[in-house]
Amino acid sequence: MRDSLDVRGAAEPTEEGHPYLRLAFELPGRLEVAWAMAGGIMAGGPLVASIMLSGRASSSMLMTITSVLFVIGGGLGLLHGAVLGYLGRDQGCSGHRAVQSLVMGVFVAVPALLLAWLIALWIGLTAAALSLHWYALLGIVAVGWVLAGVICCWGAWQGWLAMGNMLERWPQYRAGIVILAVVFVFLLVSFLVWQPEIWWTELRVTGVGAVLLAVGVTIWVAAPATAFTLWLTQRHAVVPGGASHG
């Protein structure tokens, strides 16, 4: 009798582990946490390290600059990851369950962002470590860069999975893939030729930096914009009766 009850959005009680905590580790929650961490680390880590290396800020401002940029990058990453996580949820995941996963993901993101903030601080010490030649400090900085790379790769992989799910929800997904490929090639060629300057520094991206920047802009900006456009196209193609044109 109890098994026949259907509670909307309730997690299965027969699975192992805490039902609500599991929700945070489904794709929407994972993506939300991963992009919040990656956004905070990239804004408060490599960007701050570039500012310090360029001599445009003193080491005494490291904590302040890192914290401010980390909050901005982490907040944007959290918001961006939540939207993409909802739109790119697995095919068998309902919108209601995706929202639950995102809500629980916020609770997991709190300790995760604290760890990410420490990693950003370690990366921000790059200039000091190189000038002081302290091996212990160099080791901490190296660990920070490695962890940042792992987290960013994890976030990129979660984003790739979500984008695949998101594009498959629309009949025009092949057009979306072509659009993203064209955008990536255009950005890559532009960045390689133009070599844009990193914000607030006098440093310009290298060839590797151009590739990473093109990938980041494609995933963070072009993919959501393309998916939103496809979603609007499909929505406007649906008549009031629920049937789509064509």
Side-chain angles (χ1 to χ4, degrees):
M1 188 68 181
R2 183 178 178 181
D3 294 338
S4 64
L5 295 177
D6 183 18
V7 181
R8 177 178 174 81
E12 293 294 333
T14 56
E15 297 180 12
E16 296 181 359
H18 197 286
Y20 293 106
L21 184 59
R22 280 199 312 274
L23 288 170
F25 295 97
E26 294 183 359
L27 181 57
R30 293 199 312 268
L31 182 60
E32 181 183 40
V33 174
W35 279 33
M37 295 180 71
I41 288 175
M42 292 304 296
L47 181 56
V48 173
S50 300
I51 294 174
M52 296 297 175
L53 287 170
S54 66
R56 299 179 66 90
S58 63
S59 57
S60 61
M61 300 175 61
L62 174 63
M63 182 76 71
T64 301
I65 297 176
T66 298
S67 299
V68 171
L69 293 179
F70 181 87
V71 170
I72 295 174
L76 291 175
L78 184 72
L79 178 62
H80 201 161
V83 174
L84 182 58
Y86 179 83
L87 295 176
R89 61 190 183 274
D90 292 324
Q91 300 299 326
C93 179
S94 66
H96 181 72
R97 188 174 181 88
V99 171
Q100 286 184 319
S101 177
L102 293 173
V103 171
M104 295 307 301
V106 172
F107 292 99
V108 176
V110 173
L113 284 174
L114 289 175
L115 174 61
W117 178 70
L118 288 176
I119 294 174
L121 281 177
W122 295 346
I123 295 175
L125 293 170
T126 300
L130 292 176
S131 61
L132 296 175
H133 301 288
W134 288 355
Y135 294 110
L137 187 58
L138 285 171
I140 293 175
V141 170
V143 170
W145 279 102
V146 170
L147 291 177
V150 171
I151 292 172
C152 289
C153 289
W154 175 50
W157 174 246
Q158 299 305 313
W160 180 264
L161 294 177
M163 283 193 297
N165 293 335
M166 184 171 55
L167 292 174
E168 288 179 2
R169 292 181 186 277
W170 294 279
Q172 310 95 326
Y173 77 92
R174 289 185 179 86
I177 294 176
V178 173
I179 291 172
L180 290 180
V182 172
V183 169
F184 172 74
V185 172
F186 173 78
L187 290 173
L188 179 59
V189 173
S190 299
F191 293 155
L192 287 173
V193 174
W194 175 38
Q195 291 186 327
E197 180 180 312
I198 302 174
W199 293 329
W200 306 315
T201 73
E202 297 178 353
L203 303 176
R204 294 189 176 274
V205 297
T206 61
V208 176
V211 174
L212 295 177
L213 186 58
V215 171
V217 174
T218 301
I219 294 177
W220 281 55
V221 180
T226 301
F228 183 70
T229 302
L230 293 178
W231 176 75
L232 286 179
T233 302
Q234 184 190 39
R235 182 176 183 135
H236 290 163
V238 176
V239 298
S244 58
H245 295 295

